[in-house]
Amino acid sequence: KEGCPLGNTREFYAAKAGEDQKMKGENSEGAIRERVLIVDDEESITELLKLILESRYRVTTVNDSLSALELILTMDYDLIISDIMMPRMNGIELYHEVKRMRPGMEKRILFISGNTDGRFRGVVEEMGNVFLPKPFSMASFLEAVNRFFTTYQINLLSPKHDKYPPYSNFPGLSGGISG
């Protein structure tokens, strides 16, 4: 079906099958997997992103920023994927609340939005986070997530590491990814 929020549905399922095949055997039983929180007011988006990531990560989804903030206060998430345009509290406001209440964790937010008029892109770039415009390809989405975790793991191994790596450490990603 064309018009899928993340691109062509056939492309999604074909890529998902390939991704699932690559994942088999990578996580041994009982292995600790990274926690990912997905925040988007469109339930279809949160469910689709969860489907993409759940074979590799422990994924939690919520449909508003206030619910996300409650979870973030009680749980450490390795990555937070947040829409920008949401009712009650938008993704930028969520970023500032996370920065105030859980300093450093705001660098773990990857922003997604269907609003690509440049207004939010500049704000996100100033914050040092990645902005993915919707619709984006599954390949671009997975590339951003995988690069985040690759950089995060490398930083944890270095003697002086920043627990929350800035996206500026990702060559070619600091300004967002075009699908």
Side-chain angles (χ1 to χ4, degrees), residues 2-173:
E2 295 297 328
C4 177
L6 301 179
N8 184 295
T9 305
R10 183 177 299 163
E11 172 192 341
F12 163 75
Y13 284 110
K16 175 77 173 119
E19 184 69 17
D20 286 347
Q21 192 63 28
K22 287 194 305 187
M23 295 298 140
K24 287 184 179 173
E26 287 188 5
N27 289 321
S28 61
E29 196 171 311
I32 296 174
R33 297 185 299 163
E34 290 87 354
R35 290 185 188 276
V36 176
L37 175 62
I38 302 170
V39 188
D40 196 307
D41 59 321
E42 294 182 55
E43 190 172 339
S44 61
I45 299 288
T46 57
E47 291 306 311
L48 189 55
L49 296 180
K50 179 179 181 178
L51 182 63
I52 293 169
L53 297 176
E54 69 186 347
S55 64
R56 176 172 264 179
Y57 307 107
R58 291 179 289 174
V59 179
T60 303
T61 63
V62 293
N63 296 112
D64 68 82
S65 292
L66 295 176
S67 297
L69 196 55
E70 288 177 19
L71 291 173
I72 292 166
L73 291 175
T74 61
M75 178 74 64
D76 287 330
Y77 289 94
D78 300 296
L79 175 62
I80 301 163
I81 300 166
S82 177
D83 188 17
I84 293 178
M85 298 296 296
M86 293 182 284
R88 300 194 312 161
M89 177 191 290
N90 69 40
I92 305 298
E93 293 167 330
L94 174 65
Y95 170 93
H96 290 293
E97 285 299 307
V98 170
K99 184 176 182 177
R100 184 176 68 78
M101 300 169 102
R102 300 286 310 265
M105 193 175 278
E106 76 280 0
K107 294 300 177 188
R108 293 186 178 201
I109 301 175
L110 182 153
F111 289 101
I112 59 176
S113 181
N115 185 323
T116 58
D117 65 8
R119 180 175 60 161
F120 294 116
R121 183 182 297 261
V123 171
V124 171
E125 285 177 359
E126 285 178 25
M127 296 184 310
N129 295 62
V130 169
F131 174 82
L132 289 172
K134 294 180 196 172
F136 46 81
S137 70
M138 190 172 95
S140 295
F141 174 69
L142 287 171
E143 178 185 0
V145 171
N146 290 334
R147 283 199 185 185
F148 176 87
F149 284 115
T150 300
T151 302
Y152 172 67
Q153 290 167 356
I154 290 168
N155 284 345
L156 285 179
L157 294 174
S158 69
K160 182 181 179 225
H161 69 271
D162 178 0
K163 188 173 179 184
Y164 307 105
Y167 280 106
S168 59
N169 287 347
F170 301 172
L173 288 183

